Amino acid sequence: MSAVMGQPGLHAPHGHGHDHAHDHPHGWRRWVFATNHKDIGTLYLLFSFTMLMIGGVLALGIRAELFQPGLQFVNPELFNQLTTMHGLIMVFGAIMPAFVGFANWMLPLQIGASDMAFARMNNFSFWLMIPAAILLVASFFMPGGAPAAGWTLYAPLTLQMGPSMDAGIFAMHILGASSIMGSINIIVTILNMRAPGMTLMKMPMFAWTWLITAYLLIAVIPVLAGAITMTLTDRHFGTSFFNPAGGGDPIMYQHIFWFFGHPEVYIMILPAFGIISQIVPAFARKRLFGYASMVYATAAIAILSFIVWAHHMFATGMPVTGQLFFMYATMLISVPTGVKIFNWVATMWRGSMTFETPMLWAVGFIFVFTIGGFTGLILSMAPIDIQLQDTYYVVAHFHYVLVAGSLFALFAGFYYWGPKWTGVMIPEWKGKLHFWWSLIAFNVTFFPMHFLGLAGMPRRYADYPMQFADFNEIASIGGFAFGFAQVWFFLFVALPAMRGKGEPAPQRPWNDADGAGAEGLEWEVPSPAPFHTFETPPKLDATATRVIG
């Protein structure tokens, strides 16, 4: 994860950096006061993986309880705290910061910039996340335990929670401020700091997806802030936004939350699309098929994401006209998503395909994300959704999109850019073992949940009747296997790479003897990437993927 954690690349043999011992601080100061985009990217990735492990432990608590009918380990109150905090920590602590870490590491390298536009704000936006994470985790130890209203924090439950609810709201505000600062930084960097000759339509797809994602974040994070602030004033200051006893409306909370929540889903998947769009052409030895249509599809997904929010609310008594609008709008959003999947498959078609670890993760992503997309299309139909809402079918759907979507893409990106970060090649057998172990365990965990949901098992229940026992047992076994796969990944894949243990990585590790393969400015710098890169803007060739001067 860190190009220079083990310090192997500080004295790069050639390239655009001038790396000497006095160029940057050492020891703890280097990380606490970090303004270098690579160091901050590394900090984000380490933070997000830590939160992934914490959220994973909570998930395993859920699956241990559901292994058999009856109450085994936790009472229903603690069970609801586990489900709530698992969701909040995974969404806001693991997936989103991981993509920001990738953005910090890769965007300046990809567009030929020397660093992010606002280096100190970059540092601040990272360190804001630490107190927020501590607040979230510490809420378990507050009177009454952690928030137990579900990760969506629906009223009126949130109005009845203990003091941990206030800690959760404060943590969400801090994380939101961090996201907005990070987004401003990304937008200014991409729009103002590209190398001369790199027009917007020559940018790598990862830069495009993050540019659009950053605008989404700036648009919707304040909406979430408004919803949870109204919850706070309802709790302590006598307002009645969501309290029916004072004339408020809890359904209004759902509208406000999902106006944030649905674009948020795309905030967590668009950067994943960008990573996959970098990897597939590299291992198909072809240019990305339909680059312009990919850009337009990404923008279309972002725009449409604002008009589909109430498909989460079909069961709330919506008039038929409203149901029809949100049903058709939701179906429409599958069109640009389908364009992306078609373009990836068309890129692979008749390419000189090789299946190194990053490509395995990318193909696995496309396959399993498509399943998640199909189940989402099924849920978009109001009559079906009314039967399936709040069942395990919904749990299966969004885990196929967020785990097999976002998380698989993050792993793909780690294996793809890891040699550039760490300066060492990750042994193929380790990466492939991690992939197959994760893929099989993931499907064993979440595929049975479709059947549980179709049979009517509600989510967020700590107990269930006997007829759901078999599939729950299978899902729990798969869940533990998936969790252990990620522990194995950290101990035996990520840690050795971060320490610089392994075969030294060449400058272009994924290119064949003819030079075909990975394209982009990040492959123009040595492996590991020097501490400072592109101190003077590079001169680009006509494709804006190679340095000529």
Side-chain angles (χ1 to χ4, degrees):
M1 287 183 192
S2 166
V4 284
M5 191 167 270
Q7 311 294 326
L10 295 182
H11 304 285
H14 58 88
H16 309 276
H18 305 289
D19 294 309
H20 304 289
H22 60 266
D23 270 3
H24 52 83
H26 290 274
W28 62 270
R29 282 185 181 81
R30 171 178 174 185
W31 301 102
V32 172
F33 303 122
T35 52
N36 183 283
H37 70 96
K38 302 180 183 76
D39 283 355
I40 294 172
T42 299
L43 288 170
Y44 266 109
L45 291 169
L46 289 171
F47 170 84
S48 68
F49 193 84
T50 304
M51 297 305 280
L52 183 79
M53 290 292 100
I54 294 170
V57 168
L58 303 183
L60 296 186
I62 295 166
R63 287 314 324 165
E65 179 53 58
L66 294 173
F67 184 69
Q68 288 181 318
L71 294 177
Q72 272 80 238
F73 302 104
V74 298
N75 59 31
E77 290 79 18
L78 180 55
F79 184 85
N80 282 341
Q81 293 172 32
L82 292 176
T83 54
T84 301
M85 297 309 292
H86 166 70
L88 287 174
I89 286 170
M90 287 303 202
V91 169
F92 297 103
I95 298 296
M96 289 172 66
F99 281 125
V100 179
F102 271 81
N104 267 296
W105 243 108
M106 297 315 304
L107 288 178
L109 287 179
Q110 288 194 324
I111 64 174
S114 58
D115 207 307
M116 298 295 281
F118 305 116
R120 283 192 175 82
M121 187 167 84
N122 206 9
N123 175 287
F124 187 44
S125 68
F126 169 76
W127 286 109
L128 274 178
M129 304 186 75
I130 305 300
I134 291 169
L135 271 175
L136 279 177
V137 176
S139 64
F140 277 105
F141 306 102
M142 295 177 185
W151 83 273
T152 50
L153 305 176
Y154 274 6
L157 284 172
T158 46
L159 309 182
Q160 301 157 9
M161 294 282 132
S164 64
M165 192 70 232
D166 304 318
I169 288 172
F170 189 33
M172 303 299 291
H173 274 302
I174 298 171
L175 290 169
S178 167
S179 290
I180 288 173
M181 284 195 285
S183 300
I184 291 169
N185 214 345
I186 286 166
I187 290 170
V188 175
T189 303
I190 291 175
L191 293 185
N192 291 346
M193 297 179 66
R194 300 190 309 282
M198 181 176 282
T199 61
L200 283 175
M201 292 307 281
K202 286 181 180 174
M203 284 198 312
M205 271 309 300
F206 182 66
W208 258 116
T209 53
W210 244 118
L211 178 64
I212 291 166
T213 300
Y215 278 111
L216 276 181
L217 274 163
I218 289 174
V220 301
I221 290 289
V223 178
L224 173 69
I228 57 179
T229 303
M230 285 188 268
T231 303
L232 193 70
T233 60
D234 275 11
R235 285 169 56 82
H236 297 294
F237 300 109
T239 59
S240 293
F241 291 109
F242 310 130
N243 187 355
D249 182 5
I251 300 295
M252 181 172 78
Y253 176 86
Q254 296 190 29
H255 279 292
I256 300 169
F257 179 86
W258 285 115
F259 190 81
F260 149 80
H262 206 78
E264 165 69 14
V265 172
Y266 295 102
I267 286 163
M268 290 188 284
I269 201 66
L270 289 182
F273 290 167
I275 292 172
I276 302 303
S277 299
Q278 302 291 135
I279 293 172
V280 169
F283 294 95
R285 310 290 190 273
K286 282 171 66 183
R287 304 302 292 272
L288 181 66
F289 179 89
Y291 171 90
S293 64
M294 288 289 254
V295 173
Y296 299 138
T298 308
I301 289 171
I303 293 161
L304 289 172
S305 73
F306 284 101
I307 61 164
V308 297
W309 78 88
H311 67 212
H312 296 270
M313 301 169 56
F314 283 143
T316 57
M318 192 187 301
V320 173
T321 315
Q323 290 189 12
L324 284 170
F325 171 80
F326 285 106
M327 186 167 86
Y328 292 138
T330 305
M331 290 179 184
L332 189 63
I333 212 164
S334 65
V335 176
T337 313
V339 167
K340 289 182 165 299
I341 290 166
F342 173 82
N343 284 10
W344 291 324
V345 174
T347 304
M348 291 188 266
W349 179 251
R350 303 189 77 171
S352 302
M353 298 261 286
T354 54
F355 290 96
E356 288 90 342
T357 305
M359 188 60 165
L360 278 183
W361 282 101
V363 174
F365 165 93
I366 294 167
F367 173 69
V368 196
F369 177 80
T370 304
I371 295 173
F374 276 129
T375 56
L377 198 55
I378 290 164
L379 288 169
S380 75
M381 300 178 203
I384 301 177
D385 183 77
I386 285 167
Q387 304 298 314
L388 295 176
Q389 79 100 29
D390 268 344
T391 69
Y392 264 77
Y393 192 90
V394 179
V395 177
H397 157 67
F398 69 70
H399 282 87
Y400 265 80
V401 174
L402 282 183
V403 182
S406 301
L407 189 64
F408 276 26
L410 287 163
F411 284 134
F414 172 80
Y415 285 104
Y416 181 58
W417 285 309
K420 188 58 62 184
W421 299 347
T422 61
V424 296
M425 296 299 291
I426 294 156
E428 279 294 304
W429 72 267
K430 286 186 177 180
K432 286 176 176 170
L433 176 63
H434 180 215
F435 169 73
W436 288 111
W437 186 355
S438 297
L439 184 75
I440 293 165
F442 167 80
N443 282 290
V444 169
T445 307
F446 294 105
F447 204 76
M449 292 185 189
H450 294 105
F451 304 124
L452 287 169
L454 289 166
M457 179 172 168
R459 64 179 178 173
R460 298 180 185 167
Y461 277 32
D463 193 9
Y464 55 86
M466 198 64 208
Q467 70 257 36
F468 300 134
D470 292 349
F471 279 136
N472 268 302
E473 203 167 291
I474 293 168
S476 289
I477 292 168
F480 275 88
F482 188 79
F484 288 130
Q486 311 327 316
V487 174
W488 185 89
F489 160 76
F490 184 71
L491 293 178
F492 299 106
V493 179
L495 267 184
M498 285 158 58
R499 289 175 176 159
K501 293 180 178 174
E503 179 191 335
Q507 183 170 326
R508 293 190 175 85
W510 308 120
N511 293 44
D512 59 22
D514 299 326
E519 287 191 342
L521 296 188
E522 69 264 39
W523 307 109
E524 297 291 313
V525 301
S527 300
F531 192 73
H532 296 294
T533 43
F534 300 127
E535 289 180 349
T536 54
K539 293 190 177 73
L540 307 182
D541 65 2
T543 63
T545 59
R546 288 280 173 110
V547 175
I548 55 174

